Amino acid sequence: MSETLQHIVIVFGILFGLLTLAAGLIWIERRLLALWQNRYGPNRVGPFGIFIVLADMIKIFFKEDWIPPFADKKVFVIAPTIIMLTVLLSWAIVPVAPGVVVLDLHIGILFFLAISSIGIYSTVLAGWASNNKYSLLGGMRMSAQMFSYEVFMGLSLMGVVIMAGSFNLSDIVNAQENMWFVLPQFLGFVIFFIAGLAESHRLPFDMPEAESELIAGFHSEYSGMKFGMFFVGEYVGVTLISAMIVTLFFGGWHGPVLPPFVWFFLKMMFFICLFILLRAALPRPRYDQLLSYGWKILLPLALLNILVTGAIVLAIE
Amino acid sequence: MISILKSLWYVFLHMFRKRVTVQYPEEKNYLPPRWRGRIVLTRDPDGEERCVACYLCAVACPVDCIALDAAEADDGRRYPDFFRINFSRCIYCGYCEEACPTYAIQLIPDFEMAEYDRQNMVYEKEHLLINGEGKYHGYNFYKYAGLEIKGKAKGEGIDEEKPIDPKSLMP
């Protein structure tokens, strides 16, 4: 009985913490972007402007939730829920601290890859159901981008799997007790970072919503809380990729003095800030360059990484 | 690749730069001395209205935000019966000030005129009139003009010559 209760507490704790963090990221992102652009950002509402999140929420709830008459209504409504669902599902396998994990799957990484691939349906269906040529272009770009980047996203993680000898994320974290995998698997880390960036379609890779050419891409017809759901999905996606980088390459909860959860959180926040810095600093590449970069450079590198790691591990054994 | 890391680093260094934002209500920005802001109607040194309701400002106004109606007092002085400026239309170009022959209408450097109700942006004469001479001191239109008013006959103005009798043969 107490074990069940503990499980329920963990599930709701992670869910609540995650949604709070995703909402807080609105403020964090705006403040950090402003910081890197010599501005202040929102600093009026509440201490350091943190209640801007509440103001934004109230505003977005009272916005008109409009479905365009030319849209495919059912798909149009379902699309934003898919991204929310998949990113939250993926979070189920992330171990926050020893034993604090919703679902201790023995194929954790595969589950993560599978569910994040399903998340793409959200953007593609949103682009399709909007019945608008720019949205469709955005959705199409998303599918092509994901198609090419998912391939080596999975491959870049195989080096870690070979070294840890397990697909289970808790086992992988435990295998990093003495040395973080970022040192032997630096190439894998860089490739996974880039693929993760493309996966969460954040700024250098935000082809599907490129404002300058596609207006807002797949979500240009969305308004109100449906639009908000895309953004919550995007922010949870950012935390998810950061959490995965931390678990797979930076030793998860391991760290001296501070409790495990705090270490996990600090490392995750570092990567979230890095994502925002990337957004502040880098321009958007051209679409065909993005795809050829993925297929011609990153995929061979990921394959090479597996080959070398596998050979070395075999030689040592 | 190196250039990407470099640009990341340079953007990161912006964190330690001085902020360009002016925290407006607490911190005020520098206003040039000739800033054109709110429009006022001034009075002459004797405390009378300077405006003679000639309509030149209303004609000069490119957005037609000035409305007035002329009236004449018993002493012969002209004055606006009402004088209305719609500041939600005004573009603060200052053409009305340039057109004004009596220095009555003037722009002052006040720009903080935000209102919750749009109707409050329409200023009537009592809101526009101030108890002073504004930028141009000591000028009284009726003392210079050759107009006859009560207490000043023709030719009694400053720098004004006596009227000539065109029917007389005397030089």
Side-chain angles (χ1 to χ4, degrees):
Chain A
M1 179 60 204
S2 71
E3 205 170 280
T4 324
L5 195 71
Q6 194 191 352
H7 220 81
I8 289 169
V9 168
I10 287 172
V11 168
F12 281 96
I14 286 181
L15 183 67
F16 181 75
L18 205 57
L19 290 179
T20 315
L21 188 65
L25 270 182
I26 298 169
W27 175 76
I28 292 173
E29 173 154 42
R30 289 179 65 184
R31 281 311 295 256
L32 283 180
L33 279 179
L35 201 64
W36 289 318
Q37 291 166 354
N38 298 3
R39 301 182 284 121
Y40 289 107
N43 61 353
R44 295 280 157 164
V45 198
F48 300 104
I50 195 157
F51 293 148
I52 195 80
V53 175
L54 288 179
D56 276 350
M57 286 303 221
I58 292 169
K59 182 185 152 216
I60 210 160
F61 273 116
F62 282 94
K63 282 257 173 179
E64 186 185 0
D65 197 1
W66 188 66
I67 298 173
F70 47 80
D72 186 343
K73 288 202 178 57
K74 277 177 201 153
V75 185
F76 190 85
V77 173
I78 288 171
T81 58
I82 294 176
I83 193 162
M84 281 282 281
L85 230 109
T86 51
V87 284
L88 287 176
L89 264 179
S90 300
W91 254 95
I93 49 119
V94 177
V96 179
V100 183
V101 55
V102 177
L103 196 60
D104 202 13
L105 266 185
H106 62 292
I107 48 159
I109 288 182
L110 293 182
F111 181 81
F112 160 73
L113 290 173
I115 293 290
S116 62
S117 305
I118 291 175
I120 298 151
Y121 278 104
S122 163
T123 20
V124 177
L125 289 180
W128 178 258
S130 294
N131 204 1
N132 162 337
K133 46 185 169 293
Y134 295 108
S135 303
L136 183 61
L137 276 173
M140 226 169 62
R141 283 180 171 201
M142 184 69 184
S143 58
Q145 180 177 326
M146 285 306 107
F147 198 4
S148 45
Y149 276 71
E150 280 278 310
V151 175
F152 56 80
M153 184 179 200
L155 289 178
S156 65
L157 296 181
M158 289 310 123
V160 171
V161 174
I162 291 170
M163 291 193 70
S166 170
F167 276 108
N168 185 316
L169 286 173
S170 304
D171 288 351
I172 289 173
V173 174
N174 283 326
Q176 299 179 66
E177 194 150 15
N178 298 318
M179 182 177 59
W180 291 355
F181 281 160
V182 67
L183 295 174
Q185 285 292 319
F186 187 72
L187 195 60
F189 159 65
V190 171
I191 295 170
F192 181 74
F193 187 81
I194 293 169
L197 212 60
E199 174 78 26
S200 57
H201 53 90
R202 291 282 301 172
L203 200 81
F205 297 119
D206 70 338
M207 298 295 128
E209 48 178 292
E211 297 91 349
S212 49
E213 59 232 54
L214 295 185
I215 310 161
F218 66 91
H219 60 64
S220 48
E221 297 290 352
Y222 281 86
S223 58
M225 204 49 217
K226 290 203 196 72
F227 173 81
M229 270 158 93
F230 276 122
F231 265 80
V232 173
E234 182 180 325
Y235 283 125
V236 179
V238 170
T239 58
L240 174 70
I241 297 293
S242 308
M244 286 305 283
I245 290 171
V246 169
T247 349
L248 293 167
F249 295 99
F250 285 82
W253 62 72
H254 288 306
V257 189
L258 295 170
F261 167 74
V262 175
W263 269 112
F264 182 84
F265 186 73
L266 285 180
K267 288 174 187 172
M268 197 176 79
M269 284 317 285
F270 173 79
F271 280 101
I272 288 171
C273 293
L274 192 60
F275 268 72
I276 295 167
L277 177 60
L278 279 167
R279 178 180 176 178
L282 298 184
R284 190 182 294 127
R286 221 171 60 205
Y287 186 57
D288 57 316
Q289 287 171 341
L290 183 80
L291 289 188
S292 61
Y293 180 65
W295 284 110
K296 290 179 188 162
I297 299 175
L298 291 177
L299 180 64
L301 276 179
L303 286 171
L304 194 74
N305 185 39
I306 300 177
L307 198 73
V308 173
T309 314
I312 290 174
V313 169
L314 267 182
I316 290 172
E317 278 176 8
Chain B
M1 192 67 200
I2 299 294
S3 69
I4 287 175
L5 293 179
K6 248 168 136 180
S7 66
L8 278 183
W9 175 243
Y10 287 141
V11 170
F12 181 76
L13 286 183
H14 273 263
M15 215 160 156
F16 309 106
R17 294 262 186 100
K18 196 176 165 291
R19 309 286 98 179
V20 291
T21 315
V22 177
Q23 301 268 39
Y24 165 59
E26 293 93 35
E27 255 176 72
K28 295 282 199 260
N29 212 341
Y30 168 74
L31 270 191
R34 294 189 183 187
W35 179 272
R36 298 191 306 266
R38 182 159 62 88
I39 297 171
V40 293
L41 285 176
T42 56
R43 291 174 187 273
D44 62 25
D46 305 329
E48 301 286 339
E49 280 174 45
R50 264 175 175 165
C51 181
V52 294
C54 64
Y55 294 100
L56 282 177
C57 50
V59 170
C61 182
V63 290
D64 283 348
C65 71
I66 302 176
L68 70 154
D69 199 9
E72 200 169 317
D74 294 338
D75 60 358
R77 294 174 68 117
R78 279 164 63 92
Y79 68 96
D81 190 28
F82 69 82
F83 197 104
R84 187 176 297 141
I85 296 182
N86 185 349
F87 279 106
S88 60
R89 274 190 168 198
C90 180
I91 57 171
Y92 306 97
C93 60
Y95 285 2
C96 47
E97 184 176 3
E98 283 177 27
C100 185
T102 65
Y103 293 146
I105 195 163
Q106 292 178 16
L107 274 70
I108 61 169
D110 172 28
F111 62 94
E112 291 161 319
M113 304 167 67
E115 296 279 357
Y116 282 103
D117 188 358
R118 194 167 292 182
Q119 199 55 41
N120 294 340
M121 296 290 283
V122 178
Y123 282 43
E124 294 292 341
K125 192 166 127 185
E126 64 260 34
H127 311 124
L128 294 165
L129 260 178
I130 60 167
N131 281 327
E133 299 165 51
K135 292 182 247 183
Y136 305 100
H137 297 279
Y139 180 76
N140 189 337
F141 171 73
Y142 286 105
K143 293 216 169 121
Y144 290 88
L147 190 70
E148 188 181 355
I149 55 166
K150 203 177 198 179
K152 191 202 84 166
K154 268 202 187 300
E156 284 178 9
I158 300 167
D159 294 342
E160 192 186 359
E161 287 175 10
K162 290 282 172 202
I164 298 168
D165 182 4
K167 292 180 179 159
S168 159
L169 283 172
M170 294 303 288

XYZ file of all heavy atoms in Angstrom, chain A residues 114-153:
305
model
N 10.847 6.047 -29.588
C 9.571 5.735 -30.238
C 8.552 6.840 -29.974
O 7.891 7.338 -30.891
C 9.049 4.399 -29.716
N 8.443 7.232 -28.704
C 7.426 8.216 -28.363
C 7.746 9.580 -28.980
O 6.859 10.269 -29.477
C 7.316 8.337 -26.821
C 6.759 7.044 -26.236
C 6.427 9.493 -26.436
C 5.329 6.779 -26.548
N 9.034 9.939 -29.001
C 9.353 11.245 -29.586
C 9.104 11.238 -31.088
O 8.829 12.272 -31.682
C 10.785 11.651 -29.264
O 11.673 10.727 -29.818
N 9.180 10.053 -31.709
C 8.832 10.005 -33.136
C 7.343 10.217 -33.327
O 6.911 10.853 -34.281
C 9.207 8.652 -33.729
O 10.548 8.378 -33.492
N 6.535 9.697 -32.409
C 5.087 9.891 -32.533
C 4.748 11.371 -32.397
O 3.830 11.872 -33.040
C 4.358 9.050 -31.461
C 4.501 7.567 -31.795
C 2.888 9.422 -31.397
C 3.930 6.658 -30.752
N 5.539 12.083 -31.588
C 5.283 13.509 -31.375
C 5.263 14.320 -32.653
O 4.609 15.358 -32.728
N 5.960 13.835 -33.676
C 6.006 14.570 -34.938
C 4.640 14.631 -35.589
O 4.318 15.596 -36.279
C 7.012 13.908 -35.883
C 8.387 13.972 -35.259
C 7.030 14.561 -37.219
C 9.242 12.858 -35.678
N 3.814 13.591 -35.329
C 2.472 13.591 -35.922
C 1.723 14.864 -35.556
O 0.908 15.348 -36.325
C 1.671 12.378 -35.435
C 2.006 11.130 -36.215
C 2.805 10.149 -35.683
C 1.517 10.966 -37.497
C 3.129 9.026 -36.392
C 1.836 9.842 -38.225
C 2.640 8.873 -37.665
O 2.950 7.768 -38.389
N 2.025 15.387 -34.353
C 1.360 16.603 -33.916
C 1.555 17.729 -34.923
O 0.598 18.312 -35.417
C 1.914 16.998 -32.553
O 1.599 18.301 -32.274
N 2.825 18.020 -35.243
C 3.091 19.116 -36.173
C 2.600 18.803 -37.571
O 2.041 19.666 -38.242
C 4.588 19.416 -36.222
O 5.280 18.290 -35.736
C 4.928 20.595 -35.411
N 2.817 17.568 -38.003
C 2.417 17.222 -39.369
C 0.902 17.312 -39.508
O 0.378 17.904 -40.457
C 2.920 15.811 -39.724
C 2.440 15.432 -41.108
C 4.429 15.758 -39.666
N 0.182 16.757 -38.531
C -1.282 16.800 -38.601
C -1.793 18.229 -38.454
O -2.762 18.611 -39.116
C -1.889 15.908 -37.517
C -1.728 14.408 -37.752
C -2.363 13.645 -36.618
C -2.342 14.007 -39.078
N -1.138 19.016 -37.592
C -1.562 20.406 -37.445
C -1.405 21.143 -38.763
O -2.289 21.883 -39.190
C -0.738 21.094 -36.362
N -0.279 20.909 -39.436
C -0.050 21.549 -40.731
C -1.060 21.086 -41.760
O -1.564 21.869 -42.560
N -1.421 19.818 -41.714
C -2.348 19.249 -42.688
C -3.765 19.742 -42.427
O -4.455 20.178 -43.342
C -2.292 17.725 -42.592
C -3.246 17.042 -43.530
C -4.441 16.498 -43.224
C -3.061 16.862 -44.930
N -5.031 15.978 -44.334
C -4.209 16.196 -45.399
C -2.047 17.205 -45.830
C -4.358 15.855 -46.740
C -2.206 16.865 -47.155
C -3.346 16.190 -47.604
N -4.177 19.697 -41.145
C -5.562 20.015 -40.818
C -5.851 21.499 -40.965
O -6.995 21.890 -41.159
C -5.877 19.575 -39.389
N -4.829 22.333 -40.869
C -5.065 23.776 -40.991
C -5.545 24.150 -42.388
O -6.145 25.204 -42.564
C -3.796 24.553 -40.681
O -3.444 24.378 -39.344
N -5.262 23.294 -43.378
C -5.726 23.530 -44.739
C -5.257 24.883 -45.252
O -6.034 25.670 -45.784
C -7.257 23.436 -44.795
C -7.729 23.098 -46.180
O -6.906 22.919 -47.085
N -9.029 23.024 -46.366
N -3.985 25.131 -45.065
C -3.408 26.424 -45.391
C -2.030 26.112 -45.938
O -1.322 25.277 -45.389
C -3.356 27.206 -44.071
C -2.427 28.379 -44.093
O -1.486 28.453 -44.874
N -2.665 29.301 -43.206
N -1.647 26.736 -47.045
C -0.440 26.232 -47.714
C 0.822 26.427 -46.885
O 1.716 25.596 -46.893
C -0.272 26.831 -49.097
C -0.466 28.295 -49.224
C -0.383 28.664 -50.692
C -0.823 30.072 -50.970
N -2.246 30.302 -50.730
N 0.863 27.515 -46.108
C 2.062 27.730 -45.288
C 2.142 26.701 -44.178
O 3.215 26.189 -43.870
C 2.065 29.142 -44.715
C 2.182 30.186 -45.781
C 1.111 30.997 -46.131
C 3.372 30.336 -46.473
C 1.229 31.937 -47.126
C 3.497 31.266 -47.471
C 2.420 32.069 -47.794
O 2.529 32.988 -48.778
N 0.985 26.409 -43.569
C 0.976 25.400 -42.514
C 1.389 24.049 -43.072
O 2.163 23.317 -42.444
C -0.412 25.282 -41.905
O -0.825 26.510 -41.412
N 0.891 23.753 -44.253
C 1.219 22.458 -44.864
C 2.709 22.377 -45.130
O 3.344 21.352 -44.852
C 0.429 22.287 -46.157
C 0.628 20.944 -46.839
C 0.181 19.841 -45.918
C -0.136 20.875 -48.130
N 3.286 23.487 -45.650
C 4.732 23.505 -45.888
C 5.483 23.267 -44.583
O 6.462 22.518 -44.547
C 5.152 24.860 -46.472
C 5.000 25.003 -47.981
C 5.291 26.419 -48.391
C 5.954 24.067 -48.668
N 4.999 23.912 -43.500
C 5.644 23.729 -42.196
C 5.588 22.291 -41.756
O 6.583 21.715 -41.332
N 4.401 21.676 -41.882
C 4.255 20.281 -41.468
C 5.131 19.364 -42.296
O 5.758 18.436 -41.775
N 5.218 19.681 -43.610
C 6.035 18.852 -44.491
C 7.499 18.959 -44.120
O 8.215 17.959 -44.057
C 5.839 19.337 -45.917
C 5.618 18.264 -46.917
S 5.092 18.996 -48.448
C 6.485 20.001 -48.891
N 7.937 20.178 -43.862
C 9.320 20.382 -43.452
C 9.618 19.607 -42.184
O 10.670 18.991 -42.052
C 9.558 21.861 -43.156
C 9.702 22.685 -44.375
C 9.918 24.098 -43.952
N 10.285 24.912 -45.090
C 10.901 26.057 -44.989
N 11.204 26.538 -43.810
N 11.209 26.753 -46.057
N 8.638 19.654 -41.249
C 8.836 18.967 -39.982
C 9.049 17.484 -40.239
O 9.954 16.875 -39.665
C 7.602 19.171 -39.093
C 7.729 18.594 -37.726
S 8.927 19.505 -36.755
C 8.945 18.544 -35.284
N 8.211 16.908 -41.123
C 8.336 15.464 -41.335
C 9.681 15.132 -41.973
O 10.352 14.190 -41.552
C 7.176 14.947 -42.184
O 7.151 15.618 -43.404
N 10.111 15.950 -42.947
C 11.390 15.659 -43.602
C 12.541 15.838 -42.621
O 13.466 15.012 -42.555
C 11.573 16.575 -44.802
N 12.459 16.902 -41.837
C 13.525 17.181 -40.865
C 13.638 16.060 -39.839
O 14.724 15.569 -39.538
C 13.200 18.514 -40.187
C 14.189 18.950 -39.150
C 13.823 20.308 -38.589
O 13.306 21.167 -39.286
N 14.076 20.512 -37.325
N 12.461 15.612 -39.350
C 12.480 14.575 -38.330
C 12.966 13.265 -38.896
O 13.728 12.538 -38.277
C 11.074 14.370 -37.762
C 10.647 15.438 -36.832
S 11.840 15.658 -35.528
C 12.567 17.184 -35.990
N 12.525 13.005 -40.118
C 12.915 11.780 -40.793
C 14.430 11.671 -40.817
O 15.013 10.639 -40.461
C 12.356 11.820 -42.224
C 12.289 10.507 -42.909
C 12.623 9.342 -42.243
C 11.886 10.427 -44.232
C 12.558 8.130 -42.880
C 11.812 9.219 -44.868
C 12.158 8.065 -44.189
N 15.105 12.780 -41.210
C 16.556 12.696 -41.322
C 17.233 12.755 -39.957
O 18.261 12.130 -39.752
C 17.060 13.801 -42.239
O 16.447 15.004 -41.931
N 16.669 13.497 -39.017
C 17.379 13.663 -37.744
C 17.089 12.553 -36.734
O 17.899 12.313 -35.850
C 17.083 15.048 -37.162
C 17.986 16.098 -37.760
C 17.823 16.492 -39.073
C 19.020 16.660 -37.029
C 18.662 17.415 -39.643
C 19.864 17.589 -37.586
C 19.685 17.971 -38.896
O 20.520 18.883 -39.454
N 15.933 11.904 -36.871
C 15.635 10.805 -35.954
C 16.638 9.672 -36.134
O 16.995 8.993 -35.182
C 14.239 10.237 -36.243
C 13.110 11.034 -35.670
C 12.876 10.713 -34.224
O 12.772 9.521 -33.901
O 12.791 11.649 -33.438
N 17.086 9.495 -37.398
C 17.937 8.338 -37.715
C 19.187 8.367 -36.851
O 19.468 7.423 -36.109
C 18.304 8.357 -39.210
C 19.272 7.252 -39.512
C 17.062 8.223 -40.051
N 19.916 9.493 -36.912
C 21.169 9.464 -36.155
C 20.972 9.892 -34.715
O 21.887 9.785 -33.922
C 22.259 10.281 -36.843
C 21.909 11.693 -37.108
C 21.999 12.626 -36.098
C 21.501 12.088 -38.364
C 21.698 13.923 -36.329
C 21.194 13.403 -38.591
C 21.287 14.308 -37.584
N 19.760 10.382 -34.370
C 19.494 10.614 -32.956
C 19.577 9.283 -32.215
O 20.225 9.169 -31.177
C 18.119 11.216 -32.778
C 17.808 11.561 -31.356
S 16.197 12.276 -31.242
C 16.341 13.094 -29.702
